[in-house]
């Protein structure tokens, strides 16, 4: 069985501060991993994805994530957040044979001006 | 802006009523997914299609839920007899293939069952 855990339901930071949102996965192989963002009253938008190769992947709007097979993690980072980054962030795992991505429960990010 | 079009954005039903949602996938995407997102942001996979064929579906879908993706028409998800526990955001997503895992989401249809 595969699963995704986002241990922080809510993260609050000040504008300009750095950010890390945590994602841990459970899967015996090497999965495809994704981070999506959901703004209020909108669908999910892809921030970045990891398939293979360089464990640090760059995404949109200054976001990056680092894959660690040894830690079964795919944490999302941003050097300096903006108030407009306030949203819910979802980590997702795809294992190929299962055909349907598995999502974490999301982390709600609140950025104070 | 989403290229996956979901209608309606909001629907309100009484218990026992039928609820129907539609989805037009992104052009060139033969794979379509339906997920239910509850108020706690938990995603529940419901069903997926490749073209008109069902790939996978959960047991719940087989009972009160039905879905289809007919050729040259929007995909649809229908709840035959709505229950309060069905209140959720229903997200449609599409993908180019079964093998990439990257989904393109619509804005969702928010169902409220009174």
């Amino acid at each position: 069985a595969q699963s995704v855990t986002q241990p922080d339901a809510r993260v609050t930071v000040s504008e300009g501060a750095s950010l890390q949102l945590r994602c841990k996965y459970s899967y015996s192989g090497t999965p495809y991993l994704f981070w999506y963002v959901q703004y209020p009253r909108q669908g999910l938008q892809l921030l970045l994805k990891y398939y293979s190769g360089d464990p640090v992947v760059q995404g949109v709007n200054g976001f990056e994530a680092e894959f660690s097979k040894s830690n079964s993690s795919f944490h999302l980072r941003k050097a300096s957040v903006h108030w407009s980054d306030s949203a819910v962030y979802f980590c997702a795992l795809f294992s190929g044979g299962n055909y349907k991505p598995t999502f974490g429960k999301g982390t709600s990010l609140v950025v104070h001006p | 802006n989403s290229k996956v079009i979901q209608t309606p954005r909001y629907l309100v039903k009484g218990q026992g009523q039928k609820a129907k949602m539609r989805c037009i996938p992104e052009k060139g995407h033969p794979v379509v997914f339906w997920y239910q997102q509850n108020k706690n942001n938990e995603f529940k996979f419901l069903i997926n299609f490749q073209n008109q064929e069902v790939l996978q579906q959960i047991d719940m879908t087989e009972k009160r839920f039905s879905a289809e993706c007919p050729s040259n028409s929007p995909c649809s998800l229908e709840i035959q007899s709505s229950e309060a526990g069905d209140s959720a955001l229903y997200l449609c997503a599409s993908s180019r293939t079964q093998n990439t895992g990257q989904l393109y989401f619509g804005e969702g249809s928010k169902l409220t069952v009174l």
Side-chain angles (χ1 to χ4, degrees):
Chain A
Q2 61 191 44
S3 65
V4 175
T5 301
Q6 293 181 247
D8 305 307
R10 183 181 170 100
V11 169
T12 302
V13 297
S14 298
E15 193 169 28
S18 63
L19 170 72
Q20 177 172 278
L21 301 182
R22 296 184 291 165
C23 173
K24 298 275 287 184
Y25 69 89
S26 174
Y27 178 63
S28 56
T30 300
Y32 296 168
L33 293 161
F34 305 83
W35 276 98
Y36 291 88
V37 61
Q38 186 177 33
Y39 298 102
R41 294 173 296 281
Q42 294 188 26
L44 279 71
Q45 301 169 33
L46 181 71
L47 280 178
L48 48 78
K49 60 190 176 188
Y50 173 78
Y51 285 157
S52 65
D54 189 337
V56 179
V57 291
Q58 305 297 321
V60 298
N61 297 333
F63 286 95
E64 67 175 28
E66 183 167 4
F67 169 68
S68 171
K69 188 172 176 65
S70 60
N71 293 323
S72 298
S73 68
F74 189 56
H75 301 329
L76 182 70
R77 302 189 297 239
K78 187 171 185 179
S80 177
V81 297
H82 187 264
W83 64 266
S84 60
D85 293 324
S86 295
V88 182
Y89 291 79
F90 293 92
C91 182
L93 175 156
F94 180 74
S95 63
N98 199 30
Y99 298 124
K100 56 183 187 292
T102 300
F103 289 82
K105 293 183 181 180
T107 297
S108 177
L109 174 65
V110 177
V111 180
H112 289 301
Chain B
N1 291 331
S2 296
K3 295 180 181 178
V4 175
I5 307 300
Q6 287 190 250
T7 56
R9 289 292 307 276
Y10 302 93
L11 57 166
V12 180
K13 299 293 179 181
Q15 294 200 47
Q17 289 188 318
K18 193 177 296 187
K20 189 168 186 175
M21 294 154 267
R22 291 177 176 82
C23 170
I24 300 174
E26 189 163 333
K27 192 173 182 179
H29 286 192
V31 184
V32 174
F33 295 77
W34 285 98
Y35 282 89
Q36 179 194 65
Q37 183 184 16
N38 68 20
K39 62 180 181 180
N40 296 320
N41 285 331
E42 295 167 321
F43 281 72
K44 178 183 285 186
F45 167 81
L46 296 177
I47 192 168
N48 57 356
F49 294 85
Q50 173 138 352
N51 297 312
Q52 294 80 52
E53 300 298 319
V54 175
L55 294 174
Q56 299 160 302
Q57 62 182 336
I58 64 168
D59 286 345
M60 183 180 75
T61 306
E62 295 178 18
K63 296 174 182 175
R64 295 184 300 110
F65 288 63
S66 63
E68 61 177 1
C69 275
S71 178
N72 299 318
S73 293
C75 297
S76 65
L77 175 69
E78 186 170 61
I79 307 173
Q80 297 300 321
S81 178
S82 300
E83 299 177 354
D86 297 331
S87 295
L89 182 67
Y90 290 84
L91 289 165
C92 176
S94 68
S95 182
R96 285 192 190 91
T97 74
Q98 295 181 34
N99 302 317
T100 67
Q102 181 175 339
L103 302 185
Y104 296 77
F105 283 87
E107 295 187 324
S109 293
K110 185 173 181 181
L111 171 64
T112 301
V113 182
L114 303 175

